[in-house]
Amino acid sequence: MRHFLTTADWSRDDLQAILDDAVGLKKEPLQPRLKGKSVALIFFNPSLRTRSSFDIGAFELGAHAVVLEPGKGSWPIEFEMGAVMNQGPEEHVREAARVLSRYADIIAVRAFPKFEDWQIDRQDRVIRAFAEHATVPVINMETITHPCQELAHMMAVQDRLGEVDGKKFVLTWTYHPKPLNTAVANSALLIASKFGMDVTLLCPNRDYLLDERYMNLARDYTSAQGRGLTVTHDIEEAYDGANVVYAKSWGALPYFGRWEEEKPLRDAHKHFIVDAEKMARTDDGLFSHCLPCRRNVKVTDEVIDGPNSLVIEEAENRLHVQKALMSTLVND
Ligand code: CP
């Protein structure tokens, strides 16, 4: 039995097999591969794309999806092992994961960091606990990485560019009024480097570097394929000759839990917005973002609505790649 917690656990060939299957599912969406099966979707945080694409995807494969929101329609869940449960949560993940495993063939979990202490959040305790105690495959619907988004993005890029090896991929930090999760940024680094792209991370300064676990993986993946991971704070250098520009905002890890102190730093970099002038430096570069996206804060209308924008294709691909993923995990 395999889980899908991070693409770091999966080979490029295995991921490509999912992407190839997703292309077939895009052409022929209704395939009853999971007839009579069920999927439990557990959301600790809001969603538009993930929730609807998993639910509809399960339906299109002949499966049934149950959506649970712990603390809102289902019991709050305790994750500490050995906890004396005389406050708050009504049940423990040890029971929740095992009971849901008796009902469903897949458990999928969305659990964002608490944004208080990165040393705790980086352990990804919620989904790791489900994976430990479940007896069915567990899918990450976004925790500290967002592996389904990675697949959807790569599917969209391959569709436009064909071969991606050696192409220049730029992950650019962008301003956002709130400090956001680093999950999609971590994931962008992982998928671009795993697929042999030359990766550039553009961010305001070293405070916005991503967790060393993902920086190191990206370095290892790129160097193993004769590519590179470049970190720059120079906007022009980053955009020059880019084939793909991926925009995301995230909070600076050294300021975790001290967000009032980070705010002036973030506010000073509103000019990182993706606009036509910057995109003109690229090699007819594609633009993408995971959505939801604050228009004219992270990217101008002109770029997000332009012909090189992948945002809607990437969002659509969530449906196809997740269907391929669910069938792979159940039939593994
Ligand atoms: N990109 C993404 O995961 O969207 P939602 O948060 O709406 O699910």
Side-chain angles (χ1 to χ4, degrees):
M1 181 185 78
R2 294 188 80 175
H3 298 303
F4 189 70
L5 305 184
T6 160
T7 54
D9 299 336
W10 288 62
S11 71
R12 178 175 173 178
D13 285 348
D14 284 350
L15 297 173
Q16 188 61 55
I18 294 171
L19 293 172
D20 293 343
D21 190 23
V23 171
L25 283 159
K26 186 170 184 171
K27 291 185 188 129
E28 200 184 327
L30 299 179
Q31 300 187 30
R33 300 177 184 189
L34 298 186
K35 192 165 187 300
K37 305 284 187 191
S38 294
V39 183
L41 307 175
I42 306 175
F43 284 93
F44 291 88
N45 310 95
S47 163
L48 183 150
R49 280 144 290 271
T50 305
R51 182 170 173 162
S52 46
S53 58
F54 265 102
D55 192 337
I56 292 166
F59 166 77
E60 290 183 354
L61 293 173
H64 177 70
V66 175
V67 175
L68 297 168
E69 297 175 291
K72 199 172 123 190
S74 66
W75 301 113
I77 300 173
E78 174 64 59
F79 288 92
E80 288 298 324
M81 296 304 148
V84 177
M85 292 174 56
N86 58 4
Q87 299 184 42
E90 207 60 49
E91 74 173 322
H92 201 279
V93 67
R94 290 173 70 97
E95 284 77 54
R98 287 182 296 167
V99 168
L100 288 172
S101 300
R102 300 284 177 103
Y103 302 149
D105 300 278
I106 292 175
I107 296 173
V109 178
R110 167 167 283 198
F112 292 173
K114 287 199 162 55
F115 289 97
E116 289 162 5
D117 182 345
W118 178 243
Q119 292 312 316
I120 292 173
D121 283 341
R122 79 190 293 277
Q123 297 169 25
D124 223 0
R125 285 180 182 180
V126 170
I127 198 157
R128 297 267 163 204
F130 271 103
E132 183 182 348
H133 298 291
T135 55
V136 296
V138 172
I139 295 176
N140 182 345
M141 296 195 294
E142 189 176 355
T143 59
I144 56 170
T145 61
H146 198 350
C148 296
Q149 193 73 45
E150 292 178 45
L151 292 176
H153 176 63
M154 188 48 66
M155 184 176 174
V157 172
Q158 288 182 339
D159 186 42
R160 293 280 192 115
L161 295 184
E163 189 54 70
V164 300
D165 280 273
K167 297 274 171 32
K168 181 172 178 181
F169 177 95
V170 177
L171 168 62
T172 176
W173 178 93
T174 53
Y175 170 76
H176 187 285
K178 290 189 279 190
L180 299 183
N181 195 355
T182 53
V184 172
N186 295 332
S187 276
L189 275 193
L190 288 181
I191 199 69
S193 56
K194 183 158 250 176
F195 276 72
M197 301 181 83
D198 255 317
V199 179
T200 295
L201 169 61
L202 169 64
C203 56
N205 60 42
R206 295 189 66 77
D207 287 334
Y208 288 88
L209 293 183
L210 295 164
D211 186 274
E212 63 182 14
R213 179 193 297 158
Y214 303 109
M215 299 292 293
N216 289 339
L217 280 169
R219 253 183 228 106
D220 292 347
Y221 293 153
T222 48
S223 68
Q225 299 173 86
R227 313 295 176 203
L229 170 66
T230 304
V231 174
T232 182
H233 313 304
D234 181 326
I235 292 175
E236 295 184 353
E237 177 195 331
Y239 277 77
D240 278 344
N243 300 107
V244 179
V245 174
Y246 202 81
K248 187 71 187 78
S249 186
W250 61 89
L253 295 180
Y255 289 86
F256 237 69
R258 298 183 290 120
W259 298 116
E260 325 71 50
E261 292 175 47
E262 190 234 22
K263 188 170 169 10
L265 195 58
R266 201 158 12 98
D267 287 352
H269 293 90
K270 293 181 181 172
H271 59 286
F272 272 63
I273 185 171
V274 182
D275 57 22
E277 192 184 333
K278 295 187 185 78
M279 290 301 291
R281 304 190 73 91
T282 68
D283 181 8
D284 196 25
L286 302 170
F287 167 79
S288 205
H289 184 280
C290 63
L291 303 181
C293 182
R294 292 190 184 228
R295 281 170 173 259
N296 302 309
V297 174
K298 290 174 161 185
V299 56
T300 59
D301 286 340
E302 187 180 6
V303 172
I304 196 170
D305 292 331
N308 283 12
S309 172
L310 295 182
V311 295
I312 303 301
E313 282 158 64
E314 180 168 327
E316 178 195 331
N317 290 346
R318 292 288 305 278
L319 179 65
H320 311 307
V321 298
Q322 289 159 194
K323 287 164 69 180
L325 173 64
M326 287 191 281
S327 14
T328 300
L329 292 175
V330 168
N331 297 320
D332 217 10

